[in-house]
Amino acid sequence: MNRARGCDHPAGCHTGEVPTLASATTGARFWLLIEHRGPWAARLEECELPEPVHELIRRAADLGVRAQLIRRPLQRHATSGPVHVMVADTTAREPWIAEGVFLDPRDLDLGSLVRGVVPESCILVKEPVFLVCTHARRNACCARIGLPIARVLGESQPGRVWETTHVGGDRYAANLVCLPHGLYYGSMSQAAAIAAANAYRHGEIVLDRFRGRAGIPEPSQAAEHFVRVHTGELSVGGVAVETTRSDGDVTEAIVRHGDVRFRVAVERTMFAPCGIACADTIATYRLAALESFQCGTPVLT
């Protein structure tokens, strides 16, 4: 029998005290969301799903597509019939999300998705989609903290909010993902989730509790974060890493901000929530250097 894992994370988790920057899931460029209102096991392969859905999930894994089960807040009754899916490309030049309904989910062309093309029988979704992790069988905190947030956020953003399975980073529960850009937030409160969702609808992010953008390496997420802090740039597409070069724990990145380029050095370090002797350390990043690329004059070190 599957049992929910308890809240065994370090002190400071779920409170906003643990640094969240540069912690978005790096391997999630392409997404497959499958609506399933029935029970969720700890892992997708253990869920009681029709075999064609399991086959679709396995095909997604082979192609590097992140599969998630989703359901509307508070909907718990299993249904049969056509399968509702959504697919997204989060790191395309213009990120997109599309949806479709399939009598046989094996008809979904995931090959088109990984080529950056909207699959046949799917239509583009114009409104953003918000995912709140409520995966109790994976971690009890995700349900305890996530469920109230999913409910309240669903009232604030009707028709746009879904509960979802594990998105990565249980210690950051409650986790919120904004699609199609794949923006991750962690340690969310109800007020923080509403603020983040409202900002995203206006094409902006909120730096507080922002984990980063999925599908790009953690050092690049960190470099973008520190440029945003320095410039005050909050638009979703306002900064972008162009190149990176790593040497051990230090990564140097060239980050574009409008017509300006910044050379940013970030260093991987460890955060000890219980103090310097704490065994439960968490990997994070610190800013080592930041300078204007155009004039070469250091602006922050």
Side-chain angles (χ1 to χ4, degrees), residues 2 36-44 46-49 69 71 75-79 135-137 165:
N2 292 324
H36 176 66
R37 302 179 187 179
W40 296 343
R43 302 185 182 280
L44 296 192
E46 300 168 353
C47 292
E48 295 183 6
L49 301 168
L69 299 182
R71 62 191 173 206
Q75 289 186 345
R76 294 291 186 276
H77 301 293
T79 60
H135 199 169
R137 287 295 182 93
T165 48

Side-chain angles (χ1 to χ4, degrees), residues 264-281:
V264 186
V266 298
E267 182 180 14
R268 190 174 186 269
T269 185
M270 304 303 290
F271 172 80
C274 304
I276 194 168
C278 180
D280 294 315
T281 55

